[in-house]
Each structure stands twice: as structure tokens, then as C-alpha cells.
Amino acid sequence: MLLANLIFELRPLLDDPEANLRQIVARLRAHDDFAEYEVARHYVAGKLEGVIRSWLANPDPRVRAEAIEAVRQVFSRPAAAKLLRHLVKDATISVRGAARRAVDELGLDDVALRNTSLAVPRSPRGRGGFNPTGWEFGTGAHRGRPRLEPAATRAGLPTIPDLAALTSWLRIDADGLRRLMRPGGHTGAPYVDFEIPKARGGRRTISAPRAPLRAVQRQILAEILSKVPTHDAAHGFVPGRSTVTHATPHVGARLLLATDIRDFFPTIHYWRVRGLFFTLGYGEAVAGALAALCTRRDVINPEAEAPTRRVVWPGWMPQGAPTSPAISNLVCRRLDARLSGLAAKLGARYTRYADDLSFSFHDPELVERLEIGRAFWWIDQILQQEGFAEHLGKRQILRPHRRQLVTGLVVNDHLTVPRDARRRFRAILHNCKQRGVASEANGRDDFPDYLRGFAAYVHMVQPKLGARWVAEVDALLVDHA
């Protein structure tokens, strides 16, 4: 086929790339041995990239698997490698199988750090030595049993030898256990879904457990998860630690590198949570049930009948469950240990608050010698091996001549709340004094709670200023009452 004929076939299909993606990919696949195939691929790539990326983010694994075939046909090898290096660890077996086949067909061998304990495959189209143990970490599929927590830690946890003991411990029956594992967030499901705005734009989906499941998750949190120590570098959702303890090590840095993890909670899927409970000494059935109680499964087309209505397997860790923050910290312990080791090697300080990673350098000589791109490369590769994806668009390189922020706190010379936030709150207090609290509340019933909360937050960060504002807020609210 001539190139002109192939372009002539593709042109009308590109008018609606979302609807015609499968046909476009099929035509490209049929002619990928064509001498001028690269010209045709480049012709369609610009119009298809957005559609393919949206399909890769679809909760339906069938759609993601189709998108992987589109990646293989449409993207250049370097661009395909950047996507496939994360998809080879997808929670769904069919999706990661499709990604690994695409890696083999493209002959990629640089999608992750090599595992030096394994021999590099001899085949030039083999997997090139990228880390298969990383795929299996937390799935219970390792050779042998996962490494257990220290005996002292396990001794403090409840003994649950089987499912009968689990239902007894939870004070529910077998039917009640099954009901709490139902999929979806529709009426009658154990979760309810809603959206909240993100601080930097966009919307975040919260899956909040309904009362029966929430009570069970709180019991798992209180009697199991909270008794397992987290890594010292973790500061989010840890008693006694906060954004202040997270930011304090970075005060006065000569260089601050910051990045975060993309889709942090959803990346921690059922297999990884089950692997965590394995390490705590629980057997396969109990670990699987505990993991199912702490994750949720999506339903594709929940209002339709089978086979259109399908349950997605495996589940993922919802943002909104009381167990999710603790599980995220425990799953990240090896990640935190490796990034702490990297920081020590580079002469940096490392802390993590949920998905926010911060590295600060305080020695001017080390800053002069540091290869920043190489440092970020190592961070990205370690995240990849540990089953996470870096949000490349949120990388920051902050030097002292700029405002250095760590989880919303300024760390240039000393720890402070950003000046614009302080000015805004000072103006609110002034207006409340002049015109009354109701004039600033604008009908918000929670406005007094906002005043108390922000003043308390400033008191935590800047005790002297915060104490003055706490007193002012108390006086205002007494008068308001």
C-alpha cells in the first residue's frame, strides 16, 4: 500500500479519534511492516495521544489493555517506554500481560533499574533485565513466604488463624463479611462516592465507607495497623508527626528538590495490601479478607445487566477509608528506606508526607557538585521499582533566592506560614473586629471553626503569632455568641 492511500484511509477516522481509535490502530497494525510506516504513525500521533492517555486511565481493564495496543502502534519507542514501565505493574493481570507483550515486541530494555541479583536475559527482544521482582512485591507471589515483621511486633497483634476467627474478632457473621466486601459505590454498596476540589485545581474522588464498614476498618486500624511502626521518614498520618515535623528538617536548605507520587492511594491495590497482611503473619485466607475489607472494587456500568455490568478486579485502596493512610505508610516503608539511603548517599535530608517527597541539601559544596537530573532519575527509578509512578509535572527545584515551600510551609530561613495566607487571615480578623463576625461569614455555619482552625494551625507553626491570633479569635467569638 502506498503511504498516500494509508493516509487517505486514516484522515476521516481522525475526525473523531475517540470513536475510531480501534479502527485506526487496526489499520496501523495491518501496515506496520510498511516502509514508510513511521510517517503514518507520526501523522496520527498528535491527534491520538490525548485519547490514548485517557483510555490508559480508564478503570475498565479491557479499555486499558486496548490502549496499550494503541501505545505500541502509535507512540515512539521512548514515549512508549515511559508509559509501559508503569503499566507492567498494573494490578490487573490481563493489563500487565498486555504491557509486557508490548515491551517485548518493541524490544525495550530500559524501562526500569535492573535487578542485579538476576541474570540479564540473553534474547535481544527479551525483558532486558528490568525488575520482575518489583512486579511481584506485595502480591504474595514471591519465591517462598514474604519476610515477616519482627516477632515482637506480631506478638502485639490479634491472633486470627482462619476466617471463622476473623468473623468472631469482628463480631459479624459470614454473610455480614460478604456484604462488607460488595463492590461499587452505588445504593446498597459499602462505600459512597463524592468529589471535592483539589487545592491546585481539578477534582478528587472520595470513597467513604458507610457506617458498618467504617466500624470494621476502625477496628483493623486500632488493633492491627496502628501497632506496626512506620519509617522515620514518613510524617503524614502518623501520631506525633505533622506538616511541621515534615518541613522542619528542610529549613535553611541551599537546595530543595520536591516531587510527588501520581495516583498515590489508587496505586496501592488489593495484592499489595494482602502482601502487607502476609508480612504481619496472617494466612492466605485471612490476609485476603482483611485486604478486601480495606480496598474497594469498581463496577463498570452499575445500572446495566450482565455481561455489560462487570466488577473490576482487583480492588484498590480508597481515599476516605480510615485504614488507607496507615496502610499507605506501611506499604511505603521499603520505599522510604531506599529513598533515605539515596538521600544519605547524596548528602541530603529526605522526608515524605503522604505522596509529597522532599529532599534538601545544606552543604554548599555538595550542592555545587550535585547532578540534579541524575538525582531525579534515581528518585524516579526507585519509585518505579517500588510500584509507584512519579508525577513528573510536579518536580520542583527550589533555591534560597526563591520561596521554598514544603507541604505549604515556607522553610527558607525559619518555619513560617506563607505571607499571603497570613495577610489574608489578618485582614479577615480586622474586618471581623470592625463589622462583626457575621459580615465575613457570608452565611457559612462553619466560619467560627475556620477561624479557630487557622489560628491553631498558625500557633503550631509560629507559636508567638499563633498564640496572639488564638486569643483574638476567642475574644471575637465570645462577642459573636
Side-chain angles (χ1 to χ4, degrees):
M1 172 181 282
L2 294 175
L3 174 64
N5 293 339
L6 179 57
I7 297 297
F8 182 77
E9 286 186 9
L10 293 172
R11 181 176 294 170
L13 297 176
L14 290 170
D15 291 337
D16 190 350
E18 177 80 34
N20 299 321
L21 180 61
R22 295 181 180 89
Q23 297 178 59
I24 295 168
V25 171
R27 279 169 170 73
L28 290 173
R29 188 191 308 116
H31 302 291
D32 61 5
D33 58 348
F34 182 40
E36 295 178 286
Y37 171 78
E38 284 298 312
V39 178
R41 182 194 62 74
H42 182 74
Y43 172 72
V44 303
K47 293 187 177 181
L48 294 182
E49 181 174 355
V51 175
I52 293 173
R53 289 184 181 275
S54 70
W55 282 32
L56 289 173
N58 194 294
D60 189 340
R62 297 181 185 180
V63 175
R64 295 204 302 279
E66 287 190 84
I68 288 169
E69 175 60 23
V71 168
R72 175 192 164 346
Q73 297 295 150
V74 172
F75 283 73
S76 65
R77 290 179 76 252
K82 290 179 181 179
L83 292 170
L84 295 174
R85 66 193 289 262
H86 301 298
L87 291 165
V88 294
K89 294 188 178 182
D90 193 276
T92 304
I93 294 173
S94 61
V95 176
R96 64 175 179 256
R100 294 175 191 182
R101 286 193 297 274
V103 167
D104 286 344
E105 291 169 3
L106 290 169
L108 303 175
D109 64 357
D110 59 348
V111 295
L113 278 172
R114 290 179 174 179
N115 182 350
T116 55
S117 67
L118 299 177
V120 177
R122 294 181 179 179
S123 168
R125 294 181 65 80
R127 291 202 171 100
F130 68 108
N131 186 11
T133 58
W135 304 337
E136 297 178 356
F137 179 69
T139 67
H142 325 283
R143 297 181 184 90
R145 188 174 178 82
R147 182 178 298 174
L148 294 177
E149 288 292 320
T153 299
R154 287 183 282 123
L157 304 179
T159 300
I160 310 175
D162 52 35
L163 288 179
L166 176 63
T167 55
S168 176
W169 179 68
L170 293 173
R171 295 181 291 279
I172 57 177
D173 57 22
D175 288 338
L177 182 64
R178 283 192 291 270
R179 283 195 297 271
L180 294 178
M181 295 179 183
R182 286 176 299 182
H186 53 281
T187 301
Y191 288 93
V192 58
D193 299 334
F194 57 93
E195 290 186 339
I196 61 172
K198 292 183 179 181
R200 300 178 184 176
R203 309 288 294 179
R204 186 189 310 279
T205 299
I206 301 296
S207 293
R210 300 181 194 272
L213 179 58
R214 185 166 64 248
V216 165
Q217 290 177 342
R218 284 177 174 167
Q219 183 176 347
I220 295 171
L221 172 64
E223 299 186 35
I224 298 179
L225 300 172
S226 64
K227 296 182 179 181
V228 184
T230 59
H231 194 278
D232 290 343
H235 291 262
F237 324 118
V238 179
R241 305 179 202 174
S242 64
T243 55
V244 172
T245 62
H246 171 60
T248 297
H250 307 295
V251 171
R254 304 291 297 181
L255 174 67
L256 179 66
L257 304 183
T259 188
D260 75 13
I261 300 171
R262 190 178 69 213
D263 298 329
F264 180 52
F265 276 19
T267 303
I268 302 173
H269 49 70
Y270 166 86
W271 299 116
R272 303 181 74 175
V273 180
R274 190 184 75 155
L276 169 64
F277 285 111
F278 272 141
T279 68
L280 300 180
Y282 295 109
E284 182 173 348
V286 173
L290 289 169
L293 289 168
C294 296
T295 56
R296 63 152 292 172
R297 290 172 289 159
D298 285 321
V299 178
I300 305 299
N301 298 323
E303 305 303 326
E305 299 294 330
T308 305
R309 181 185 185 276
R310 294 184 297 107
V311 176
V312 176
W313 179 262
W316 47 275
M317 197 173 72
Q319 188 158 350
T323 48
S324 294
I327 289 173
S328 70
N329 280 333
L330 296 178
V331 167
C332 284
R333 284 178 300 174
R334 195 171 81 167
L335 171 68
D336 289 333
R338 294 185 68 184
L339 291 178
S340 294
L342 173 65
K345 187 172 183 178
L346 296 175
R349 302 172 186 174
Y350 161 71
T351 60
R352 179 181 61 82
Y353 192 95
D355 58 351
D356 291 322
L357 313 178
S358 300
F359 297 79
S360 61
F361 300 80
H362 299 257
D363 186 330
E365 293 184 6
L366 288 177
V367 171
E368 286 295 322
R369 297 198 303 266
L370 179 69
E371 297 181 51
I372 294 176
R374 189 68 174 169
F376 271 125
W377 184 89
W378 275 101
I379 294 167
D380 178 67
Q381 292 294 316
I382 290 172
L383 284 169
Q384 150 69 20
Q385 282 197 330
E386 295 301 319
F388 294 101
E390 184 190 2
H391 198 309
L392 298 176
K394 293 190 177 180
R395 284 182 176 180
Q396 294 185 76
I397 303 170
L398 302 172
R399 299 183 186 273
H401 66 274
R402 294 180 57 191
R403 186 174 71 169
Q404 295 173 314
L405 282 176
V406 176
T407 49
L409 299 177
V410 180
V411 297
N412 288 67
D413 298 311
H414 53 279
L415 210 60
T416 62
V417 175
R419 182 181 299 174
D420 52 350
R422 285 182 278 132
R423 285 177 172 171
R424 184 166 56 250
F425 190 72
R426 188 179 291 114
I428 290 173
L429 290 181
H430 175 77
N431 292 339
C432 287
K433 292 175 185 176
Q434 296 297 315
R435 299 194 294 267
V437 174
S439 67
E440 289 294 300
N442 294 321
R444 287 176 51 189
D445 293 335
D446 63 345
F447 187 68
D449 293 332
Y450 159 73
L451 293 176
R452 291 191 186 97
F454 192 85
Y457 173 65
V458 175
H459 185 254
M460 180 177 67
V461 181
Q462 298 174 248
K464 187 175 180 180
L465 173 62
R468 187 169 75 245
W469 280 355
V470 167
E472 291 182 22
V473 168
D474 288 342
L476 280 171
L477 295 180
V478 166
D479 295 340
H480 174 66

